[in-house]
């Protein structure tokens, strides 16, 4: 009850600021999504990889990888500088970052057709999932107000629980990949 009251007071205090700037582009990033230790929401999405589009009747289902470590990487858009750098780094460092016992999936609002071309152009050894209405992205607090995903990464353990999350993954910072590698290795070692 105390935190609810504090929230109402904060909202009331901010109301004049928001209404005074209603014409300007005010954006707030809401944190949410599954926290570390919580069960990751299940999802099912169509996919593509470097060999083409996956069968319509066989979408990727997170639940089908229960018992494995899964890395879910939300990203804004295929064929853009930052996303190309991120996916290319994932591909180039695939064995050292993930290894054969880890499933990696990338998720954006792009179509499976676009994903197929993007994955083929980079020879990506993992699936790209299409979430055009951003239903899954919203569940994982990765949906941006502009219709794109924010760059976020989750590591989901074999038990289906979130073991690591980075809500502002920096695709151009080598430290982000080192931190992700450590998180994956910690799950594999536990």
């Amino acid at each position: 009850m105390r935190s609810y009251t504090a929230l109402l007071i904060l909202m009331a205090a901010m109301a004049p600021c928001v209404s005074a700037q209603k014409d300007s582009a005010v954006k707030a990033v809401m944190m949410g999504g599954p926290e570390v230790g919580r069960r990751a929401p299940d999802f099912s999405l169509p996919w593509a990889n470097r060999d083409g589009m996956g069968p319509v009747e066989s979408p990727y289902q997170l639940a089908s990888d229960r018992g494995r470590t899964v890395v879910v990487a939300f990203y804004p858009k295929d064929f853009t500088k930052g996303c190309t750098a991120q996916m290319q780094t994932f591909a180039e460092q695939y064995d050292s970052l993930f290894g054969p016992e880890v499933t990696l999936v990338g998720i954006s609002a792009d179509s499976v057709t676009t994903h197929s071309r993007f994955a083929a152009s980079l020879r990506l050894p993992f699936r790209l999932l299409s979430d055009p209405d951003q239903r899954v992205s919203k569940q994982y607090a990765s949906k941006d107000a502009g219709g794109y995903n924010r760059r976020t990464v989750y590591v989901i353990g074999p038990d289906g629980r979130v073991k690591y999350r980075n809500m502002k993954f920096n695709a151009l910072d080598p430290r982000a990949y080192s931190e992700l590698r450590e998180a994956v290795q910690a799950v594999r070692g536990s």
Side-chain angles (χ1 to χ4, degrees):
M1 185 67 167
R2 183 179 225 179
S3 62
Y4 179 72
T5 304
L7 179 62
L8 289 176
I9 292 169
L10 178 62
M11 288 172 60
M14 290 181 64
C17 298
V18 174
S19 64
Q21 298 178 359
K22 129 165 100 171
D23 293 333
S24 67
V26 177
K27 288 187 179 180
V29 175
M30 297 296 290
M31 294 304 268
E35 295 181 15
V36 172
R38 299 285 187 177
R39 183 163 297 284
D42 193 24
F43 59 84
S44 177
L45 291 171
W47 60 273
N49 64 18
R50 63 186 176 198
D51 299 322
M53 293 180 276
V56 174
E57 66 278 359
S58 295
Y60 173 81
Q61 297 178 327
L62 180 61
S64 68
D65 272 330
R66 187 68 40 84
R68 294 177 55 87
T69 300
V70 179
V71 175
V72 180
F74 292 90
Y75 67 100
K77 190 160 182 60
D78 294 340
F79 295 106
T80 58
K81 182 180 177 180
C83 297
T84 299
Q86 179 182 4
M87 296 303 149
Q88 200 163 30
T89 302
F90 282 165
E92 290 169 356
Q93 298 181 21
Y94 191 79
D95 290 335
S96 67
L97 278 171
F98 312 109
E101 63 278 351
V102 175
T103 298
L104 166 66
V105 294
I107 301 177
S108 82
D110 288 306
S111 70
V112 288
T113 303
T114 303
H115 280 339
S116 179
R117 289 193 333 265
F118 185 53
S121 74
L122 298 176
R123 300 297 304 152
L124 300 179
F126 50 89
R127 295 178 191 154
L128 299 178
L129 282 51
S130 178
D131 185 21
D133 60 1
Q134 293 184 295
R135 178 184 47 82
V136 174
S137 302
K138 186 176 181 180
Q139 287 181 303
Y140 282 80
S142 300
K143 181 181 186 287
D144 186 309
Y148 299 103
N149 288 344
R150 290 184 297 111
R151 198 176 310 281
T152 59
V153 176
Y154 286 84
V155 176
I156 301 166
D159 61 356
R161 295 190 180 281
V162 174
K163 303 299 183 182
Y164 165 86
R165 73 179 196 167
N166 183 331
M167 301 306 286
K168 292 183 178 183
F169 188 84
N170 185 343
L172 303 176
D173 185 352
R175 292 176 296 188
Y177 298 96
S178 296
E179 186 179 292
L180 177 58
R181 179 181 293 109
E182 290 171 13
V184 169
Q185 288 174 348
V187 173
R188 289 191 331 203
S190 61

